[in-house]
Amino acid sequence: MDIVTFSEIIVSVRTQSVTVKEKIKNLTHRLRNYRVYHRYLGLILGLLVLVSSITGVLLGWKKNVDTLQPPLIEGQTPDLTQWISLADMSTVAYTALDSAVQVKNNPIDRIEARPEKGMVKVLFSEGYWEVQLDGSTGKVLSVARRHSDWIEQIHDGSIIGDLFKLITMNVLGLGLLIISFTGFFLWFYPRKIRQIKKEDKS
């Protein structure tokens, strides 16, 4: 049987001690890097989440607050056979917008029919304007600005452009995954370091 000398025991202990120190050093280095990533990515995501949260709350209330979105005003009849043509609706809406707020040459974005309410909403491309008409008579029911539309564009980033919307949505989604990943290791690595130190002492 081989006899282990005292010097060999000392060398073994020192080697084991160096290995433990290296493990702790590596984990500490990773922990420091993850903390930096977590901090700066968290600042960026925090701003995006703050804007998204505030605008999201406002959008949640848009049908309950008239300032955010004009309330629906009912027309006379839901019978579509009695409604005027889309061309006539467009003409009336253009005239109503010009008469109410002196806005001309504003192209129509879309016309939304609400048969159950007997009315239509004519939405314009610029200025977030909306004109509500009685579907059967063409009577102007309201002319108002849809503040919920520009709030929604801020919410998804499309107020700057579709490319910016695509980038911010991807940054927000992937960023939350990354920050969850780094957050896990910010919790795990300190526990691992304490465990290594505890095992080294025992």
Side-chain angles (χ1 to χ4, degrees):
M1 180 180 293
D2 295 335
I3 299 176
V4 180
T5 64
F6 180 75
S7 60
E8 289 175 332
I9 295 176
I10 295 299
V11 170
S12 177
V13 171
R14 287 179 177 176
T15 303
Q16 184 179 0
S17 179
V18 170
T19 303
V20 170
K21 288 181 180 179
E22 284 297 325
K23 286 182 180 180
I24 294 176
K25 182 179 179 181
N26 289 334
L27 289 176
T28 303
H29 179 70
R30 291 181 186 179
L31 181 62
R32 188 178 299 112
N33 287 336
Y34 281 134
R35 187 175 288 117
V36 173
Y37 302 150
H38 193 83
R39 180 186 303 119
Y40 288 104
L41 185 57
L43 289 174
I44 297 173
L45 292 179
L47 178 60
L48 293 177
V49 169
L50 177 63
V51 173
S52 182
S53 299
I54 294 173
T55 53
V57 169
L58 292 175
L59 290 174
W61 282 91
K62 69 180 182 179
K63 293 186 181 297
N64 303 96
V65 180
D66 294 349
T67 304
L68 296 176
Q69 184 169 292
L72 295 179
I73 302 176
E74 294 190 17
Q76 292 186 7
T77 176
D79 186 0
L80 297 179
T81 61
Q82 299 183 36
W83 283 23
I84 64 176
S85 68
L86 290 179
D88 290 339
M89 291 179 184
S90 300
T91 301
V92 173
Y94 278 126
T95 303
L97 186 64
D98 182 22
S99 176
V101 291
Q102 289 75 51
V103 175
K104 297 181 179 181
N105 302 320
N106 192 350
I108 292 176
D109 178 51
R110 63 189 185 276
I111 298 177
E112 296 182 357
R114 295 289 191 273
E116 72 283 0
K117 297 290 186 180
M119 53 81 68
V120 296
K121 293 195 294 185
V122 181
L123 308 179
F124 292 85
S125 299
E126 301 172 1
Y128 310 102
W129 289 105
E130 167 191 292
V131 175
Q132 293 187 23
L133 303 174
D134 186 306
S136 59
T137 65
K139 177 184 176 182
V140 178
L141 302 176
S142 76
V143 178
R145 196 186 295 269
R146 294 170 56 89
H147 293 289
S148 61
D149 285 358
W150 61 262
I151 293 173
E152 184 174 355
Q153 289 183 341
I154 293 177
H155 182 73
D156 62 17
S158 61
I159 195 168
I160 296 178
D162 289 337
L163 179 60
F164 182 80
K165 173 184 176 179
L166 179 64
I167 292 173
T168 53
M169 290 299 102
N170 277 276
V171 167
L172 188 57
L174 294 175
L176 288 174
L177 288 176
I178 294 172
I179 205 169
S180 299
F181 177 82
T182 56
F184 169 78
F185 283 105
L186 288 178
W187 166 82
F188 176 75
Y189 279 155
R191 292 172 62 90
K192 186 65 175 177
I193 291 172
R194 287 195 297 269
Q195 181 182 354
I196 292 174
K197 289 180 177 179
K198 183 179 180 180
E199 291 175 353
D200 183 47
K201 290 179 180 179
S202 60

